[in-house]
Amino acid sequence: MPRFAAGVVRFQNNIYPEKQGLFEELSKGQSPEALFIACSDSRVETAMITQTEPGELFICRNAGNIVPPHTEHTGGMTASIEYAVAVLKVPHIVVCGHTECGAMKGAMNPEGLAGLPHVAKWLGYSKAAVEVVDSLAEDDTPPEERMRMLIQQNVLLQLQPLRTHPSVAAALAKGTTELHGWVYDIKTGDVHAYDDKQEKFLPV
């Protein structure tokens, strides 16, 4: 904690004065360009990856960058998506997965989740992605390739339940928001985005 506290002091003394005008403007409200749904993994730094300033991204993070289908049950993801789209009217929604994802490793090896009942149940939202990979991969497909496929398929899978959220469905119908699927490579810094026309992930 002392290191974090020292960081706060550096922010107040060095960073804030340089961006005081920005923060004063942000104190009046926000108008982010995108709802960014990413994994909670500490190695994924959304602002650094996108080189964005405060106020430009409305960020939701959870294990596995998962989007549960819309139901009458109120949860943090459901409420955040509704607010971002219906109130903030974000023109873009990005679901961003990443390499070396612990959640996807858990989804592929559920037997290793013994003693983690909430994690196991949460990763059930990625079960379809696991089954897609099982159907597409060959018997001799290397484990690292299967994991790459799973990370990509999970991103594509999460774009589907987004469309079940009423605010998103309405915005898509009006053409006021667009959905995007990304995968970030921690080791190389590369980001690949899904191209609907070519039906594959391409470098950003």
Side-chain angles (χ1 to χ4, degrees):
M1 287 306 295
R3 182 164 61 88
F4 299 154
V8 171
V9 173
R10 286 197 300 275
F11 166 74
Q12 294 171 335
N13 292 338
N14 302 325
I15 305 301
Y16 177 82
E18 296 178 0
K19 299 181 180 293
Q20 184 174 349
L22 170 62
F23 288 114
E24 289 179 350
E25 189 63 29
L26 289 175
S27 71
K28 303 173 185 176
Q30 60 173 321
S31 183
E33 185 175 348
L35 164 59
F36 205 91
I37 300 171
C39 185
S40 299
D41 194 300
S42 63
R43 298 166 293 179
V44 178
E45 178 46 59
T46 55
M48 184 179 292
I49 295 168
T50 58
Q51 289 295 285
T52 48
E53 293 280 9
E56 294 182 323
L57 295 180
F58 190 85
I59 303 171
C60 291
R61 301 183 65 155
N62 63 63
N65 40 273
I66 286 169
V67 180
H70 181 268
T71 67
E72 292 305 309
H73 172 72
T74 298
M77 284 298 297
T78 301
S80 296
I81 290 169
E82 181 178 74
Y83 186 78
V85 179
V87 178
L88 300 179
K89 302 189 183 305
V90 291
H92 300 281
I93 303 175
V94 180
V95 175
C96 183
H98 68 94
T99 58
E100 301 301 323
C101 182
M104 291 304 97
K105 292 177 182 178
M108 186 168 281
N109 301 285
E111 64 278 0
L113 299 175
L116 298 172
H118 295 290
V119 174
K121 186 172 182 180
W122 179 252
L123 294 181
Y125 290 119
S126 295
K127 184 178 180 180
V130 175
E131 294 188 2
V132 169
V133 172
D134 287 342
S135 67
L136 294 178
E138 304 292 339
D139 291 339
D140 59 351
T141 300
E144 59 271 17
E145 176 61 16
R146 292 178 70 94
M147 181 55 61
R148 183 191 67 81
M149 294 171 64
L150 177 57
I151 290 165
Q152 293 183 347
Q153 289 298 326
N154 182 61
V155 167
L156 297 180
L157 173 71
Q158 304 311 322
L159 293 173
Q160 296 178 28
L162 261 175
R163 296 180 172 90
T164 69
H165 290 254
S167 57
V168 177
L172 290 172
K174 291 188 295 183
T176 56
T177 195
E178 299 178 11
L179 304 184
H180 308 272
W182 286 12
V183 173
Y184 165 61
D185 190 311
I186 292 174
K187 184 176 181 179
T188 67
D190 293 334
V191 175
H192 288 73
Y194 187 73
D195 185 286
D196 290 311
K197 293 181 180 179
Q198 299 190 46
E199 296 185 337
K200 61 181 180 180
F201 283 84
L202 300 175
V204 170

